Amino acid sequence: MSLDPAPRTPVTEPLARPSAVLTVSGPDRPGVTARLFTALAALGNGVPAVEVLDVEQVVVHGQLVLGVVVAAGPHSGEAPELVARLAELAARVAEDTGMQVAVEAAGPDGAAAGADRPHHVILLGRPVLPDAVAGAARAIAGTGANIDAIRRLSDYPVTSFELTVSGAEATELRTVLAAVAAETGTDIAVERVGLARRSKRLIVLDVDSTLVRGEVIDELAARAGRAAEVARITAAAMNGELDFAESLRARVGALAGLPVEVLDEVREALVLTPGARTLIRTLQRLGFRCGIVSGGFTQITDPLAESLGLDFAAANTLEVADGRLTGGLVGEIVDRAGKARALARFAGQYGIPLEQTVAVGDGANDLDMLNAAGLGIAFNAKPVVREQAHTALNQPYLDAVLQVLGFTRDEVLDAL
């Protein structure tokens, strides 16, 4: 017996039909959209004359732009006849509303309307200058792609715009736009359009120079009188010039003899990166699991995670004996590979696929984690990290991550 006895109409390719684009523009006012579609509905005198294929509307500082793509019904004649009829309709709507209404022919069934929109391009800056928008637009056009839509995501703490782009491959887009970003100082991120962008459910943040300003180990070294030596090792490790585990042992060794109370002093002096609390609070209210994975020390990161209400934390543990640091470590070292393992462990703990995770970091030891995540963001990172991460942010505000994820300023405010 059939489980679905209802007959189904075979799916066939639609016949090519004359199509047209109507564009309405002018000062926004109530009733414009209703007037246009009422006129379209009455065009066939009781018999549907057109079918709506696509609609886009945007209001920018009180100025409306409304685009409608329609295809001719079965009894509407050829393209010139459709455009002529719509031109008469447009004139009436323009007179009634005080708007400008333009009509032009489109490809068969609206093919020229650019329905394929595979990528979002996000421009972020403080400010975003015209040369950045012009450079991005030229670069996109140079790939043969088209900008289908532009919307503003935020005006604070950074200005950001999202361009919807069709007809380009992701790697090529990222390559040409990276050059624009370097020339203009504007951050430009590229993400594929689709549900995956809004399906992210877990974020992992590096701590030193990402969640907080500065490097904790440098602060500890200063109190041990070994600041210059440790700073040189830290810089080399973060630039990928030294093995992280080896460099960590060397730096920790320089801390031998420090009283354990120094850890409390350094922790209390930590300064969060601007926007850190907003990022975490917003994502938590949107249902994200939020945590930290650090090459630093649990004596610092665990209290920090507790104070921020984070879901998880992983870091190295300094060895302590008789109230002083021994210069050694206890347990597994959270190095470059260890960070990626920690991300996978926490994602598995919450039943979240890796493609639905986000990782943010600045150093070479973050690269495995950034590349393992569904989206890896290099935040004010070293050049080697910016070049290999999925996208890069060079703004001083950590909550700019929200715009890369596609959240608007209004959505952020609603979640706070």
Side-chain angles (χ1 to χ4, degrees), residues 253-274:
L255 306 180
L258 272 180
V260 72
E261 290 80 14
V262 170
L263 294 171
D264 297 327
E265 296 173 12
V266 170
R267 185 176 63 248
E268 291 170 4
L270 289 178
V271 177
L272 290 175
T273 300

Side-chain angles (χ1 to χ4, degrees), residues 120-124 132-133 135-136 139-140 173-174 176-182 184-190 390-395 404:
H120 291 304
V121 173
I122 305 99
L123 277 67
L124 305 98
V133 181
I140 290 167
L173 265 183
R174 289 193 175 101
V176 298
L177 290 171
V180 176
T184 64
T186 300
D187 289 336
I188 304 178
V190 178
H390 299 142
T391 193
L393 278 176
N394 297 300
Q395 305 301 321
V404 176

Side-chain angles (χ1 to χ4, degrees), residues 167-366:
E169 193 271 329
T171 301
E172 184 180 17
L173 265 183
R174 289 193 175 101
T175 300
V176 298
L177 290 171
V180 176
E183 292 169 4
T184 64
T186 300
D187 289 336
I188 304 178
V190 178
E191 284 204 72
R192 186 172 296 280
V193 170
L195 292 177
R197 188 185 190 200
R198 285 297 189 96
S199 70
K200 303 293 190 295
R201 295 166 51 201
L202 180 146
I203 188 168
V204 168
L205 300 165
D206 174 44
V207 176
D208 296 328
S209 299
T210 300
L211 181 63
V212 304
R213 290 177 165 177
E215 298 283 332
V216 166
I217 198 166
D218 290 348
E219 296 297 324
L220 294 171
R223 287 164 169 78
R226 308 282 292 274
E229 172 190 349
V230 168
R232 284 194 298 271
I233 300 173
T234 299
M238 291 302 100
N239 284 320
E241 300 166 8
L242 287 177
D243 173 74
F244 181 81
E246 178 185 347
S247 73
L248 180 64
R249 290 190 182 94
R251 288 177 288 165
V252 170
L255 306 180
L258 272 180
V260 72
E261 290 80 14
V262 170
L263 294 171
D264 297 327
E265 296 173 12
V266 170
R267 185 176 63 248
E268 291 170 4
L270 289 178
V271 177
L272 290 175
T273 300
R277 289 187 186 277
T278 298
L279 172 67
I280 292 168
R281 187 162 56 239
T282 301
L283 291 181
Q284 285 176 329
R285 294 189 179 182
L286 292 170
F288 273 62
R289 295 290 185 173
C290 303
I292 50 180
V293 173
S294 173
F297 311 114
T298 56
Q299 289 93 335
I300 302 290
T301 58
D302 285 354
L304 177 63
E306 183 177 359
S307 70
L308 292 171
L310 299 180
D311 296 295
F312 55 86
N316 299 293
T317 299
L318 293 166
E319 185 178 55
V320 178
D322 300 324
R324 293 184 178 273
L325 303 186
T326 67
L329 295 164
V330 178
E332 180 185 357
I333 290 181
V334 181
D335 56 6
R336 176 169 170 166
K339 284 194 166 190
R341 288 194 297 269
L343 166 64
R345 183 170 71 251
F346 291 125
Q349 177 181 328
Y350 293 108
I352 297 172
L354 278 175
E355 59 267 23
Q356 294 182 4
T357 66
V358 181
V360 185
D362 73 299
N365 65 320
D366 294 312

Side-chain angles (χ1 to χ4, degrees), residues 84-165:
R85 295 182 67 188
L86 291 175
E88 295 175 5
L89 176 150
R92 294 195 300 272
V93 173
E95 182 178 356
D96 291 347
T97 62
M99 309 289 282
Q100 293 181 337
V101 186
V103 180
E104 60 181 339
D109 274 350
D116 179 32
R117 298 174 184 174
H119 293 95
H120 291 304
V121 173
I122 305 99
L123 277 67
L124 305 98
R126 188 168 174 87
V128 173
L129 297 176
D131 65 335
V133 181
R138 285 194 300 268
I140 290 167
T143 68
N146 186 61
I147 299 173
D148 298 322
I150 301 176
R151 66 167 180 154
R152 187 181 72 180
L153 293 176
S154 65
D155 58 359
Y156 181 85
V158 296
T159 301
S160 60
F161 300 97
E162 180 184 82
L163 286 60
T164 305
V165 175

